Amino acid sequence: MTHDSRQARWENRTEAPLAVASLLYLAAYAVLVLASGLPGAGRGVCLAVIFAAWAAFAVDYAVRWRLSGQGLRFVRGHWLDTLVLVLPLLRPLRVVHVYEAVQRRHGKPRLALHARVVTYAGLSALLLGFTGALAVYQQEHAARGATIRTFGDAAWWASATLATVGYGDETPVTPLGRLIAVGVMLCGLALLGAVTGAFSSWLLQVFAREDDERPPGR
């Protein structure tokens, strides 16, 4: 059995459980950040879920690295997975791949390319907006001179930033908050570019099909 086939079998078996672990990680982190009056036992449970989920991510990364047989080339070729391991808050973005896995198992036709791009971009924007708002709120709400005081402020800021609008009424003031803001800005530009490119490609295909169907001489 080749390295690729063993790695593919591992990924097919672990994709759904890791997606659940990703959602549990995000839920535990959200409770930890938003529930200010959480008792010590509740905080302990949230931290246990967070560390257990991260341990599952680390084991998955190590196993896939081992099965690939690529050595350090695996790190260079899977830089996004490496980044997600370092910044596990981005891990819930992997949830968008569960749809593909379910479709492959049931042999059902997938959505068209343009529909998949728009769907995945929309899901990614929602997850990135929520995680970005959580992370910024955690860093900013108690900082001196902060304009992001509530989670509602953080959600509004994340929406404006992802949409590349940037009203400037809510801005991070801490160094880590600004670093998170840079990441959200880059993700917003990437998502906007993906959706715009997919929509432009769809329009070109529609116009080309109309030209092909038009009678000669018109």
Side-chain angles (χ1 to χ4, degrees), residues 101-140:
V102 172
Q103 294 286 6
R104 286 196 300 268
R105 290 196 188 101
H106 291 82
K108 295 180 180 179
R110 299 180 301 178
L111 291 173
L113 175 61
H114 309 103
R116 291 207 309 273
V117 170
V118 174
T119 300
Y120 293 166
L123 289 174
S124 299
L126 287 175
L127 289 169
L128 279 171
F130 184 61
T131 55
L134 282 174
V136 165
Y137 172 71
Q138 184 183 29
Q139 299 299 321
E140 295 289 318

Side-chain angles (χ1 to χ4, degrees), residues 18 21-22 24-29 32 42-60 85-86 88-89 138:
L18 287 175
S22 302
L24 289 175
Y25 181 99
L26 182 57
Y29 179 71
L32 199 63
R43 291 181 60 85
V45 170
C46 290
L47 289 174
V49 171
I50 288 173
F51 285 120
W54 185 86
F57 305 153
V59 169
D60 172 66
L85 183 63
V86 177
L89 263 183
Q138 184 183 29

Side-chain angles (χ1 to χ4, degrees), residues 7 37 70 81-82 94 110 112 150 153 160 174 176 179 183 190 201-202 216:
Q7 184 178 354
Q70 297 178 353
D81 292 330
T82 306
R94 300 276 298 180
R110 299 180 301 178
T150 66
D153 294 337
T174 64
L176 189 53
L179 183 61
S201 177
W202 175 74

Side-chain angles (χ1 to χ4, degrees), residues 200-216:
S200 300
S201 177
W202 175 74
L203 284 179
L204 289 174
Q205 289 186 10
V206 170
F207 294 152
R209 187 163 54 247
E210 289 179 353
D211 290 340
D212 293 339
E213 294 174 354
R214 185 176 301 169

Side-chain angles (χ1 to χ4, degrees), residues 117 121 189-199:
V117 170
L189 289 173
L191 290 173
L192 183 62
V195 172
T196 303
F199 182 69

Side-chain angles (χ1 to χ4, degrees), residues 24-96:
L24 289 175
Y25 181 99
L26 182 57
Y29 179 71
V31 171
L32 199 63
V33 172
L34 298 178
S36 57
L38 195 65
R43 291 181 60 85
V45 170
C46 290
L47 289 174
V49 171
I50 288 173
F51 285 120
W54 185 86
F57 305 153
V59 169
D60 172 66
Y61 184 87
V63 170
R64 288 193 294 118
W65 187 351
R66 175 68 176 175
L67 292 178
S68 70
Q70 297 178 353
L72 291 178
R73 287 182 301 162
F74 178 85
V75 179
R76 294 195 298 268
H78 297 77
W79 61 270
L80 182 58
D81 292 330
T82 306
L83 178 63
V84 167
L85 183 63
V86 177
L87 300 174
L89 263 183
L90 298 178
R91 181 76 196 196
L93 292 178
R94 300 276 298 180
V95 173
V96 299

